[in-house]
Amino acid sequence: MSETRTPADFWFDPLCPWAWMTSRWMLEVEKVRPVDIRWHVMSLAVLNEDKLDELPEQYRELLGPKGWRPVRVVAAARELHGDEAVGRLYTALGTRFHNNGEGPTLEAIEGALADAGLPAELIEFADQDTYDAQVRASHQEGIDKVGQEVGTPVIAVPGADGGQVAFFGPVVTPAPQGEEAAKLWDGTLLVASVAGFYELKRTRTEGPDFSNLK
């Protein structure tokens, strides 16, 4: 008898260190549970485009035109090379941006394309709006599932009524591994199975910790 596999939809912006750690947890989950991750872009630049003036200067710079570059390249990779390229490129981008501390520079994006085995020419889309409509549509799909006033990551899993339920998070540092990753996944499915469950939250007292990621 074939094993029943659970789909998990994951929305990310490569800029976000918290989404990066949650995504690495999900890759651990794939090792210990029958889960299939489907990767989707969302955009912090889109999320904040109407309130940039209210943000601190460093965020205004990050979420302005430069903030579009990584998601544009990911969207181009999906359109031109298929869904499978998305997770591969996200891993390469996040490793350079976060683990290696390179940040979201054009040089880091170029390096990530090479690491992911994708054509160098995709960097040309970083400053083009060719696939902006696809970025916005993917972003909106995630927001429509989870609601407003959230960021990235967004994860959608099977819910109580047989459909999907989406959450912002889980936000965790460092990324759980092994049995710890499995327990957090099992808990995520458990709360998703309760129709009226919405939220658990506490104040973050630590910053992103990438020390257990390679």
Side-chain angles (χ1 to χ4, degrees):
M1 182 179 296
S2 62
E3 186 176 41
T4 300
R5 302 192 64 80
T6 301
D9 288 281
F10 192 102
W11 279 263
F12 67 92
D13 185 323
L15 295 175
C16 180
W18 297 102
W20 172 243
M21 281 184 295
T22 304
S23 73
R24 300 309 92 180
W25 160 66
M26 281 302 307
L27 288 181
E28 281 289 308
V29 171
E30 274 196 323
K31 299 175 185 177
V32 293
R33 293 291 185 267
V35 173
D36 293 320
I37 308 168
R38 299 182 295 213
W39 303 102
H40 312 269
V41 291
M42 63 184 298
S43 170
L44 292 173
V46 172
L47 188 69
N48 292 282
E49 63 186 348
D50 295 330
K51 48 191 174 187
L52 272 181
D53 292 343
E54 304 168 18
L55 299 177
E57 183 177 351
Q58 69 267 31
Y59 291 114
R60 289 201 301 272
E61 181 178 359
L62 182 64
L63 301 180
K66 291 181 181 178
W68 276 91
R69 287 172 170 171
V71 292
R72 281 173 166 167
V73 174
V74 173
R78 164 168 268 160
E79 292 298 315
L80 299 175
H81 299 280
D83 289 345
E84 188 274 333
V86 176
R88 203 166 77 240
L89 180 55
Y90 181 30
T91 288
L93 289 167
T95 298
R96 285 181 174 269
F97 289 3
H98 305 299
N99 294 10
N100 299 350
E102 297 177 36
T105 64
L106 283 174
E107 291 77 13
I109 298 172
E110 287 175 331
L113 287 168
D115 296 341
L118 290 166
E121 292 76 17
L122 288 172
I123 194 65
E124 297 173 7
F125 293 96
D127 290 310
Q128 297 178 14
D129 63 3
T130 310
Y131 297 115
D132 283 10
Q134 286 86 337
V135 171
R136 288 182 180 276
S138 180
H139 175 91
Q140 194 60 47
E141 182 185 11
I143 291 295
D144 286 346
K145 287 180 179 292
V146 75
Q148 302 297 318
E149 302 305 322
V150 300
T152 173
V154 168
I155 184 171
V157 299
D161 60 359
Q164 277 191 321
V165 61
F167 300 112
F168 164 63
V171 176
V172 61
T173 186
Q177 298 180 340
E179 185 56 29
E180 208 173 37
K183 287 193 294 185
L184 182 55
W185 172 253
D186 294 342
T188 301
L189 292 184
L190 181 62
V191 297
S193 72
V194 178
F197 176 82
Y198 289 99
E199 181 176 10
L200 282 171
K201 189 173 176 65
R202 65 173 177 162
T203 299
R204 292 198 297 265
T205 57
E206 298 180 35
D209 178 358
F210 311 122
S211 61
N212 67 343
L213 302 179
K214 296 179 181 179

